[in-house]
Amino acid sequence: MTETAEVMVVAPHPDDAEFGAGGTIAGWTREGKQVVLVVCTKGDKGTSDRGVVPERLARIREQEQREAARVLGVREVVFLGYPDQGLEDTPAFRKELVRLLRLYRPWTVVTSDPYRRYVSHRDHRITGQVVLDAVYPCARDHLAYPDLLEEGLEPHRVREMLFWQSEDINYRTDITETFDRKVTALRCHASQMEQIARAVANPDLEGWLRDLCRALAQGEDFELAEAFHRVEILR
Ligand SMILES: [Zn+2]
């Protein structure tokens, strides 16, 4: 049987976890916490390179994701293998997440905020929503998915959720000590670097990221932060 993990991170695409929570994840694993990363899609469409076919891109992205996870000290990476831009809020997707929640039994679940307004990647929105529904109430209720119960996957209550890329920030983590590992992990996603630099309109990714994390730490007694909307699951 798989060992349990204190934290489960659910990313829509390869690189989202590093952007959203890389420094926080590195901090947790440094404290000895077990972190499992679930990557929902293969990231096989996010390129402007017309010379690469999706299958090859998916293989590259998986390799890069494994390397980035290793840099952050993540114990295990689970690839769900959905096509990029192909996520839907389906019973099958929700059940896959419930299965993983009941298997790894995390205290904390970290994912994308589904309530970002207007321009928000569809996969990000859907991942956040389906993870939320899987955590509460589906993973918790024994009458949901009696077949999982028969497999020995007992109900599980997650205690807190952190959502990255939130417009409603209420929680900041100190990543001053782990910022370098966040950058190193992001650089593992070599096939996405050029596009990322273009998206943020800055070729100096590290400088851009440092400014961003410094701005997020404003008002705190540390220098660099990642920021989330945090929800406690009380029942
Ligand atoms: Zn993404």
Side-chain angles (χ1 to χ4, degrees):
M1 162 124 185
T2 313
E3 277 177 63
T4 57
E6 279 101 336
V7 181
M8 181 182 288
V9 181
V10 186
H13 308 109
D15 92 345
D16 288 329
E18 289 74 16
F19 255 114
T24 308
I25 294 168
W28 282 326
T29 60
R30 204 171 53 168
E31 290 167 14
K33 285 189 176 161
Q34 301 289 329
V35 178
V36 167
L37 171 62
V38 179
V39 183
C40 300
T41 74
K42 296 188 276 191
D44 55 333
K45 290 198 178 66
T47 183
S48 53
D49 181 351
R50 298 203 176 190
V52 60
V53 295
E55 295 72 30
R56 182 166 143 66
L57 194 58
R59 273 199 306 278
I60 293 169
R61 295 268 152 96
E62 181 173 329
Q63 220 27 61
E64 291 172 346
Q65 181 62 86
R66 284 194 194 284
E67 188 55 27
R70 197 188 57 75
V71 168
L72 297 179
V74 168
R75 196 188 72 199
E76 204 170 333
V77 189
V78 178
F79 293 93
L80 297 185
Y82 284 93
D84 197 355
Q85 300 175 21
L87 287 180
E88 296 294 341
D89 183 345
T90 64
F93 183 26
R94 192 161 60 243
K95 186 175 181 179
E96 273 186 289
L97 292 169
V98 170
R99 174 188 291 281
L100 292 169
L101 289 164
R102 290 189 178 185
L103 186 64
Y104 290 105
R105 316 188 76 71
W107 181 277
T108 303
V109 169
V110 192
T111 191
S112 179
D113 192 321
Y115 298 116
R116 241 185 121 73
R117 289 172 298 173
Y118 307 113
V119 182
S120 151
H121 196 298
R122 181 178 167 73
D123 288 340
H124 293 191
R125 196 164 63 238
I126 290 171
T127 298
Q129 187 62 60
V130 178
V131 172
L132 191 49
D133 293 340
V135 163
Y136 181 90
C138 300
R140 186 202 63 171
D141 288 352
H142 75 279
L143 290 177
Y145 309 110
D147 54 327
L148 293 185
L149 198 57
E150 262 174 47
E151 282 179 44
L153 294 168
E154 290 289 325
H156 174 66
R157 182 160 73 87
V158 171
R159 302 310 203 281
E160 67 167 354
M161 295 187 74
L162 301 180
F163 297 93
W164 63 62
Q165 277 209 323
S166 181
E167 292 177 340
D168 182 14
I169 291 166
N170 64 0
Y171 188 74
R172 291 169 172 83
T173 54
D174 178 1
I175 64 156
T176 313
E177 300 281 308
T178 53
F179 176 79
D180 291 346
R181 277 172 75 193
K182 177 183 174 85
V183 172
T184 306
L186 269 169
R187 287 197 196 287
C188 294
H189 295 281
S191 74
Q192 305 202 57
M193 275 304 114
E194 201 182 312
Q195 208 174 15
I196 290 168
R198 211 176 314 124
V200 303
N202 194 333
D204 173 18
L205 181 68
E206 181 169 348
W208 173 81
L209 209 54
R210 188 176 285 279
D211 288 347
L212 180 72
C213 294
R214 191 175 287 127
L216 290 173
Q218 238 174 27
E220 302 285 346
D221 59 0
F222 44 83
E223 191 200 342
L224 301 171
E226 281 172 344
F228 305 89
H229 184 77
R230 178 175 181 269
V231 177
E232 267 186 68
I233 318 265
L234 298 171
R235 292 177 294 137

